Amino acid sequence: MSPRRNRPKAAGSSGRGAEDDRAGRYGGWQSTESWQGEEWSVRHVAGASAEGKTYRCPGCEQMITSGVPHVVAWPEHVGVDDRRHWHKACWNAKDRRTTRVQRSRHAPRF
């Protein structure tokens, strides 16, 4: 086994940009959609890429558990630091949702 190679980052690179966060990194494909008058970058994430991580969906306020395929979306003008992880069904229904989220009687309130 050969030793691990540590290579320094290129000079002048600071922070994370959209080009650093490649589409193939998470096993999904990326597209651009228009929503609420803005252009959004939308990436479909495979369940295997989300192993060991949990996220809260802004559409339904429920948890996206580890290993579940989902959608990552962010406005193009702000960059990848403002990514939000959505259930696929919640992202597809975002235009049909009311401003008040309807929860079942025993659902947790966050």
Side-chain angles (χ1 to χ4, degrees), residues 10-26:
S13 67
S14 61
R16 292 177 57 189
E19 63 276 354
D20 295 335
D21 202 24
R22 297 180 301 276
R25 178 177 174 188
Y26 297 105

Side-chain angles (χ1 to χ4, degrees), residues 2-4 6 11 14 20 23 33 37-38 50 55 58 65-67 77 79-81 84 95-96 105:
S2 61
R4 190 171 89 180
N6 291 327
S14 61
D20 295 335
E33 293 184 24
E38 293 183 279
Y55 304 101
T65 57
S66 174
H77 66 87
V80 296
D81 290 335
R84 296 295 172 258
D95 294 325
R96 296 187 305 266
R105 181 179 301 176

Side-chain angles (χ1 to χ4, degrees), residues 62-108:
Q62 300 299 314
M63 296 302 291
I64 301 173
T65 57
S66 174
V68 173
H70 60 278
V71 174
V72 180
W74 66 93
E76 284 193 341
H77 66 87
V78 295
V80 296
D81 290 335
D82 288 331
R83 293 178 293 204
R84 296 295 172 258
H85 297 254
W86 296 68
H87 292 106
K88 287 184 181 183
C90 294
W91 177 255
N92 292 336
K94 64 190 176 297
D95 294 325
R96 296 187 305 266
R97 279 196 187 278
T98 62
T99 55
R100 180 167 148 54
V101 175
Q102 301 293 322
R103 293 183 184 86
S104 68
R105 181 179 301 176
H106 301 292

